[in-house]
Amino acid sequence: MPPVTGIHHVTAICGDVQANLDFYTGVLGLRLVKVAVNFDDPTTYHTYFGDGLGRPGTLITFFPYPDSYKGRAGSGSVIATGYAVPPGSLRWWIDRLAEMAVHFDGPHRRGDEEFVTLRDPDGIDIEIVASPTCPRPEPWTKMPVPAENAIGCIHGVTLCEEASEFTIDFLVDALGFREAEGFAEEQRRFESGVGGSGTLVDVVCRPDAPHGRGGQGSVHHVAFRTPQEESQAHIHADIRARGINVSPVMNRNYFKSIYFREPGGVLFEVATDGPGMTIDETPELLGSSLRLPEQYEPLREKIEAVLPALRRP
Ligand code: ZN
């Protein structure tokens, strides 16, 4: 069993919660699978988008901070998040983006994959990648994109590093990644688990890039998957033994998480696959109501009064 088996989710910071929701559901065709609050600040939403069941590997989550300053992608940060779509569907996506007046660039080619780049409303860089290893997403009723063209999972993330040697050693030695062949030296690719879409981390080394900065339009962290709490405990002990600060295991309701920074400064999380998004809502009702962790349930009325109303798709 490799230490991590792929990407679990990406978490980012947005400004306007509604514009963000409209983009990820309306343009990318993901499902709003959970509306929760930031556990550290329950006056702020935490929204989750994914496939029909919000399965690990399909999830992107957001903390909306409408009053925050703008973030900046740069060294020590995730500078692109790729979404896998079925091979042969890129033309369909190009037509869709053009029709919806969403600016995009491409198609570009990297290794054996073709992709287009675009930005979400807060400026987060996104790639739509035609991938032969794109899985079928779990469908749901009122799916806005035909299943044969739908995003199957997060394809991978791109890390920008001031110096990449120790980051690469860490990915390989601590997290069990291996280098994929056929990619340029400027953007090296690593894969975990079974490989392909959902398991990829690209590393670019840009010593003269400005440092990344948190804020609206920045990726806060990338989370990797581990099957159970036992495998997570093993990773936790191993990372500590490497002399790296790692958080205690945190209960995130839908999964258990540990957090640490890789040597280049990007915040990593390792999250368990379960119990998953359906622990507090049935598959049909995912995302339909505000979910609060137990400790905030007595404050529900107050919390609902300060959170802006959402127009769900
Ligand atoms: Zn996370």
Side-chain angles (χ1 to χ4, degrees), residues 8-12 46 48 61 63 220-224 252 255 257-259 267-271:
H8 189 290
H9 65 265
V10 169
T11 291
H46 189 191
Y48 295 65
T61 91
F63 293 120
H220 187 261
H221 63 264
V222 53
F224 298 102
R252 297 313 195 190
F255 37 82
S257 299
I258 57 174
Y259 302 85
L267 185 60
F268 280 5
E269 171 182 346
V270 172

Side-chain angles (χ1 to χ4, degrees), residues 153-290:
C153 67
I154 289 180
H155 183 62
V157 294
T158 304
L159 311 181
C160 177
E161 303 286 359
E162 196 170 21
S164 58
E165 194 186 338
F166 288 114
T167 295
I168 288 169
D169 286 350
F170 183 78
L171 284 170
V172 171
D173 297 339
L175 301 182
F177 279 78
R178 57 198 181 274
E179 185 153 14
E181 281 172 26
F183 290 84
E185 186 61 28
E186 307 85 73
Q187 180 153 347
R188 292 169 71 180
R189 171 160 294 181
F190 298 84
E191 56 187 359
S192 52
V194 295
S197 286
T199 75
L200 306 175
V201 172
D202 285 6
V203 178
V204 298
C205 182
R206 292 191 189 141
D208 43 11
H211 283 275
R213 192 177 58 205
Q216 287 176 13
S218 69
V219 171
H220 187 261
H221 63 264
V222 53
F224 298 102
R225 299 173 63 166
T226 193
Q228 317 101 356
E229 288 176 42
E230 293 75 36
S231 51
Q232 186 181 56
H234 188 78
I235 296 169
H236 191 269
D238 179 75
I239 287 169
R240 274 193 76 183
R242 288 171 194 275
I244 291 175
N245 280 324
V246 53
S247 77
V249 176
M250 321 270 264
N251 184 357
R252 297 313 195 190
N253 259 14
Y254 311 107
F255 37 82
K256 297 221 163 117
S257 299
I258 57 174
Y259 302 85
F260 48 92
R261 287 193 187 274
E262 56 85 21
V266 182
L267 185 60
F268 280 5
E269 171 182 346
V270 172
T272 55
D273 279 351
M277 293 292 126
T278 53
I279 189 180
D280 60 356
E281 284 176 306
T282 61
E284 302 73 46
L285 292 179
L286 283 176
S288 63
S289 64
L290 178 69

Side-chain angles (χ1 to χ4, degrees), residues 130-143:
S131 165
T133 51
C134 173
R136 269 270 180 166
E138 188 68 32
W140 68 101
T141 47
K142 297 197 206 149
M143 204 171 163

